[in-house]
């Protein structure tokens, strides 16, 4: 049986979307395998402490702080795309930008409460924002880090980190003997985030390999012309090999076979992984959108 050691990773679009976390009893040895959130007790220097902890945990710089946005989200979580839109000055439906603060050493040394009214004046008397968005750029401009901190209680803030390189699709080449469970683990390791599922797997068939644009469409949950959906299995066995899914789903033959897996990521919700083979199931190209956002 093919193990993960046999998996050859081909990163078609280089992207690392990593949600990392730690607890109040943070220790560097906890690495990125622990909880997916950081809890910060507000104090003078809390913004700087938060960013420093993310650097220690990931082993990578979060870069220079460009700006801080105080926003009222109306009580809902925002996606990575929505946060990126806000950071670039675009409007997001249902979200009010209370204020924008230029990044500086002084900002890193203040409190979250001070920034929550959209200004850096050292008071924090009238916090009007429910969330703070910290936008920073890594050295060389190759990476952009967005950190969202959400008020939780009087002085507690819960923060999540997302790294974005601007591209969203991660592709892995897998052998036909790779199981569903191993496929899931491969994407978890590539993204640094654990997911639940898969809850279902759909089998799609066609004559030709789908284009890159069609794969993006499938990952959005929509249909494409080159492939048609012919079978769905709920709660597939993690031990099934990719090469055996079609037969176990009642699909006997097709030139091109594809499988669309539905998984769940805490906070983000449903995510999709699409695998396609054109050589009778000997090799598979599996793709998924980066697991970023909040």
């Amino acid at each position: 049986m093919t193990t993960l050691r046999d998996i050859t990773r081909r990163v078609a679009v280089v992207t690392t979307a990593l949600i990392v976390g730690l607890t109040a009893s943070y220790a560097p040895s906890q690495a990125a395998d622990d909880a997916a959130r950081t809890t910060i007790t507000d104090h003078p220097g809390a913004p700087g402490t938060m960013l420093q902890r993310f650097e220690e945990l990931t082993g990578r710089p979060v870069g220079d702080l460009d700006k801080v946005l105080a926003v009222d989200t109306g009580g809902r979580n925002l996606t990575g795309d929505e946060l990126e839109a806000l950071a670039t000055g675009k409007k997001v439906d249902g979200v009010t930008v209370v204020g924008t603060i230029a990044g500086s050493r002084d900002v890193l040394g203040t409190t979250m409460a001070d920034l929550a009214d959209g200004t850096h004046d050292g008071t924090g008397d009238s916090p009007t924002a429910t969330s703070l968005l910290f936008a920073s750029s890594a050295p060389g401009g190759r990476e952009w880090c967005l950190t969202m901190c959400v008020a939780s209680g009087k002085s507690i803030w819960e923060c999540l980190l997302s790294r974005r390189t601007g591209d969203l699709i991660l592709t892995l080449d897998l052998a036909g003997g790779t199981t569903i469970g191993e496929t899931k683990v491969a994407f978890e390791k590539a993204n640094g985030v654990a997911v639940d599922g898969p809850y279902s797997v759909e089998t799609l068939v066609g004559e030709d390999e789908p284009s890159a644009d069609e794969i993006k469409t499938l990952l959005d949950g929509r249909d494409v012309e080159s492939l048609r959906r012919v079978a769905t299995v709920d709660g597939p066995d993690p031990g099934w090999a990719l090469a055996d899914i079609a037969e176990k789903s009642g699909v006997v033959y097709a030139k091109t076979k594809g499988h669309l897996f539905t998984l769940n990521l805490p906070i983000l919700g449903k995510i999709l992984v699409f695998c396609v083979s054109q050589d009778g199931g000997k090799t598979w190209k599996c793709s998924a959108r980066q697991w970023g956002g909040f």
Side-chain angles (χ1 to χ4, degrees):
M1 178 179 294
T2 302
T3 67
L4 288 177
R5 293 181 181 178
D6 300 321
I7 295 173
T8 301
R9 287 184 50 186
R10 178 169 63 85
V11 181
V13 180
V14 180
T15 171
T16 306
L18 178 61
I19 299 178
V20 296
L22 42 86
T23 65
S25 58
Y26 167 77
S29 62
Q30 289 179 310
D33 293 328
D34 289 342
R37 69 182 61 242
T38 297
T39 301
I40 299 292
T41 301
D42 201 9
H43 64 277
T49 298
M50 176 266 297
L51 294 177
Q52 181 180 3
R53 285 181 173 179
F54 276 132
E55 285 192 345
E56 292 172 346
L57 188 66
T58 64
R60 300 165 63 189
V62 297
D64 299 323
L65 181 63
D66 296 325
K67 66 179 71 174
V68 181
L69 276 71
V71 297
D72 183 352
T73 66
R76 68 184 182 89
N77 293 323
L78 302 181
T79 66
D81 288 340
E82 288 174 325
L83 291 174
E84 184 173 340
L86 290 171
T88 55
K90 299 176 183 177
K91 293 184 178 180
V92 174
D93 291 342
V95 177
T96 300
V97 177
V98 177
T100 302
I101 305 161
S104 68
R105 188 178 299 273
D106 288 342
V107 169
L108 295 177
T110 190
T111 63
M112 298 289 197
D114 174 32
L115 304 178
D117 60 359
T119 61
H120 171 36
D121 55 14
T123 61
D125 294 333
S126 304
T128 54
T130 59
S131 305
L132 293 171
L133 170 60
F134 295 82
S136 59
S137 54
R142 294 179 302 230
E143 190 172 62
W144 192 10
C145 298
L146 299 174
T147 304
M148 184 178 183
C149 293
V150 181
S152 176
K154 187 174 182 180
S155 62
I156 303 297
W157 292 76
E158 294 181 354
C159 303
L160 297 170
L161 170 69
S162 176
R163 295 185 183 273
R164 304 174 69 82
T165 58
D167 294 312
L168 300 175
I169 304 298
L170 176 69
T171 298
L172 306 179
D173 283 341
L174 306 178
T178 306
T179 66
I180 293 176
E182 289 171 334
T183 301
K184 171 187 170 182
V185 170
F187 275 98
E188 287 178 328
K189 288 189 174 183
N191 285 280
V193 184
V195 294
D196 300 323
Y199 296 106
S200 67
V201 57
E202 294 181 86
T203 296
L204 301 84
V205 298
E207 293 298 319
D208 300 310
E209 184 175 1
S211 66
D213 286 341
E214 287 181 315
I215 289 176
K216 290 181 180 179
T217 299
L218 288 169
L219 295 177
D220 284 336
R222 294 177 287 155
D223 293 327
V224 298
E225 292 185 0
S226 64
L227 295 173
R228 67 183 189 278
R229 304 171 194 251
V230 295
T232 301
V233 174
D234 293 325
D237 189 331
W240 286 0
L242 294 176
D244 298 333
I245 295 174
E247 182 178 352
K248 292 181 180 295
S249 302
V251 180
V252 179
Y253 172 79
K255 181 179 179 180
T256 300
K257 297 177 182 177
H259 300 302
L260 191 64
F261 300 91
T262 300
L263 303 99
N264 184 75
L265 178 62
I267 302 176
L268 280 185
K270 185 176 76 171
I271 57 173
L272 299 173
V273 174
F274 177 69
C275 297
V276 64
S277 175
Q278 275 201 305
D279 58 6
K282 294 179 182 178
T283 59
W284 294 80
K285 183 171 68 175
C286 297
S287 303
R289 289 192 179 278
Q290 68 173 40
W291 301 345
F294 305 96

